[in-house]
Amino acid sequence: MASVAELKAAIDVALQQIGDGQSAVQAAGEKLAEAQQTLAGALEGSGHETVEAAQASLTQASQELEECLAATLVAVEQAQLYVAAL
Amino acid sequence: MSIVEDIGAQVRAAAEELPLGLVSQALEKFGLASERLRWVRQESANPMGVPELSAATEHAETAGYALRLAQEQLAAYLAAIGLGVGGEPPARAPRPEPRHDAPREAAPVVVPAEPAEQVRMRRWWSVRVAELTGGPEGADEPDERISDSTELLRRVVRGVRAGDRDRLRTELRRAHADVGLGLAALAPPLLRDLATDLLRHPPRAEDLDRLRGALGGPVRDLLPGLPAPVLETLLTRVCRMPPPRRSGEPPHAADSAVAGGVLTGVLLARLGRDLPPDLGPAAGGTAGAGADRAGGDRPGAGRPGDGSPAARAGRAGTTGPRDSTATAGRPAAPDPARAATGGPPAGVPRPGPWTGAPHRVSRRGGDG
């Protein structure tokens, strides 16, 4: 049977993995922002529908990443609260 | 290098550098963490952040999909300006333009009589609506007056309120496919707000049964052909729960859109309300649909002061520029939480489609 210490250790590992994922999401968000700025500069004035669609897709991606990050923050908070209560 | 080639090179480089690898990496980490937390909490009633982590994974998956889509769209643009992979735009095979599912601005095309199966494929939206509503397949043509998803939603809501399945079917079938699919973008934020008003608190996991009981019957009456998992998925999203495990065939693209519109109508009918007159016009096309979708369905809608996990998720979920999508063009206020998390930097260009994002029904200023 697992002990509290093992439980805490397992949650710590999970938190570490979430942290790694958060770093990747943050880095992705930054790279995406750069790409958006590059594209905004290069394609300024284009009324092509695929350009608008691509920019909307990128905006969606950016927002999804933000939402992702926000959700992970809540997940971490929840897990930490649980560990503290153990 | 010509100017066009220079632009092409910039676009190509930006497309190639989209952070798909980083998103995959994040997904892998979240998957491992979820697995471990699930193992830890097997016997525990405490969610330990697992639902929120599932939501995060879902967002990351959607982000990855949007990035791949953007890559394809940029490649299509390069091909269109003569900078495709082979240096030439891809040759288009001569084929009749679809009438029902074609962009509305497309010029009318005279097409010869088609075999029944071809008609069926060409008008997949209309065919699916008929299947969902349990009605006969007719030959009604698209109604150009239904030019955006908001207008379609209004018509759907009126049909639902009248309890008239035939009318509902007619309204839905007369929409272009892209306008119809836009309902999937428009409905989720409304659903969350309306369910909050119905329950008098932000929907939580505990509310799923109640919502299912209150709304499932009317939706099934109007959409007898709707696969049960579609409604279940919508309701779990409203309650900010992970979607039910998928089994069998993947859902039809139209199902979620149609069900979302009808569910919105059922909720409004339950509340004795109508759609607000200032509901912004929704983009009818794919891009707009994607934009609207992203601007809508987001985790958590906990009211300030609500200490529930859902509320906390809601607060966290309202970070950053998303809020600006609900305030129709107003710049988003600086968000300390976002700054603290080191999220994507502010000032990232938010292109045009967002200015048409739908307003929220509820009193909340933000759409989180």
Side-chain angles (χ1 to χ4, degrees):
Chain A
M1 184 170 285
S3 67
V4 169
E6 284 172 308
L7 207 58
K8 283 184 173 180
I11 295 175
D12 278 346
V13 173
L15 287 173
Q16 179 60 47
Q17 287 166 335
I18 296 174
D20 292 344
Q22 285 174 325
S23 302
V25 170
Q26 283 179 4
E30 285 160 14
K31 283 202 78 169
L32 178 53
E34 285 171 22
Q36 281 182 294
Q37 278 169 351
T38 303
L39 288 169
L43 299 172
E44 188 185 1
S46 168
H48 201 284
E49 61 182 19
T50 54
V51 168
E52 289 175 3
Q55 284 173 331
S57 297
L58 293 178
T59 303
Q60 183 188 353
S62 166
Q63 290 172 337
E64 293 290 347
L65 290 177
E66 284 177 32
E67 295 250 2
C68 171
L69 206 51
T72 60
L73 291 176
V74 184
V76 168
E77 185 191 340
Q78 296 267 312
Q80 284 173 339
L81 280 173
Y82 188 77
V83 170
L86 280 173
Chain B
M1 184 182 275
S2 74
I3 296 175
V4 171
E5 282 174 325
D6 184 39
I7 290 171
Q10 286 183 55
V11 171
R12 197 171 287 120
E16 282 170 4
E17 284 172 17
L18 289 177
L20 276 162
L22 284 166
V23 173
S24 301
Q25 195 181 322
L27 276 170
E28 189 191 332
K29 294 291 180 188
F30 293 150
L32 290 171
S34 289
E35 211 170 290
R36 192 169 291 268
L37 284 179
R38 280 202 189 95
W39 172 75
V40 170
R41 66 165 285 213
Q42 264 178 20
E43 299 295 326
S44 170
N46 190 310
M48 246 177 266
V50 171
E52 289 80 7
L53 201 50
S54 299
T57 304
E58 201 176 317
H59 284 301
E61 283 172 350
T62 309
Y65 172 76
L67 289 175
R68 281 191 291 276
L69 186 61
Q71 278 185 334
E72 287 171 15
Q73 287 159 337
L74 290 171
Y77 172 68
L78 289 175
I81 62 171
L83 295 173
V85 176
E88 291 177 3
R92 293 185 64 177
R95 59 180 174 83
E97 289 291 334
R99 276 175 291 175
H100 207 98
D101 301 328
R104 286 174 305 288
E105 59 271 21
V109 177
V110 178
V111 289
E114 297 168 273
E117 189 53 32
Q118 262 187 30
V119 173
R120 193 179 161 80
M121 285 182 67
R122 175 170 63 74
R123 297 181 56 243
W124 62 269
W125 167 263
S126 179
V127 168
R128 186 57 181 171
V129 167
E131 288 169 355
L132 291 174
T133 53
E137 286 181 25
D140 48 338
E141 287 300 310
D143 184 344
E144 299 302 323
R145 286 172 300 174
I146 309 176
S147 58
D148 64 60
S149 304
T150 307
E151 173 58 25
L152 177 60
L153 185 60
R154 287 189 196 287
R155 289 169 181 243
V156 167
V157 166
R158 286 196 287 266
V160 170
R161 174 160 290 183
D164 188 342
R165 204 164 75 195
D166 292 338
R167 176 175 166 185
L168 179 68
R169 181 188 313 120
T170 305
E171 297 289 11
L172 281 165
R173 293 186 60 185
R174 285 196 306 193
H176 279 275
D178 59 339
V179 173
L181 290 175
L183 291 178
L186 205 52
L190 296 172
L191 290 175
R192 173 80 182 167
D193 286 341
L194 293 170
T196 300
D197 290 345
L198 184 71
L199 297 166
R200 298 181 189 281
H201 62 256
R204 297 184 286 260
E206 310 85 271
D207 300 313
L208 180 62
D209 282 342
R210 191 176 157 195
L211 287 178
R212 200 188 282 132
L215 309 171
V219 172
R220 278 191 296 274
D221 288 345
L222 291 162
L223 301 174
L226 183 73
V230 176
L231 179 60
E232 189 67 14
T233 301
L234 279 177
L235 292 175
T236 53
R237 280 184 184 155
V238 167
C239 295
R240 296 294 182 247
M241 292 168 63
R245 196 171 289 277
R246 187 185 295 172
S247 61
E249 286 186 12
H252 191 285
D255 291 2
S256 181
V258 171
V262 170
L263 191 55
T264 303
V266 169
L267 267 165
L268 282 166
R270 284 292 299 254
L271 291 165
R273 302 215 305 247
D274 203 349
L275 280 174
D278 61 340
L279 193 72
T286 317
D292 286 342
R293 199 206 70 69
D297 192 12
R298 57 210 50 150
R303 293 198 174 100
D306 183 345
S308 67
R312 283 196 296 274
R315 285 194 293 275
T318 56
T319 54
R322 279 222 167 179
D323 293 333
S324 65
T325 62
T327 49
R330 244 190 306 134
D335 191 327
R338 182 165 164 271
T341 62
V348 172
R350 298 293 185 205
W354 295 98
T355 56
H359 296 251
R360 305 299 295 262
V361 172
S362 77
R363 55 235 158 260
R364 288 204 309 273
D367 58 350

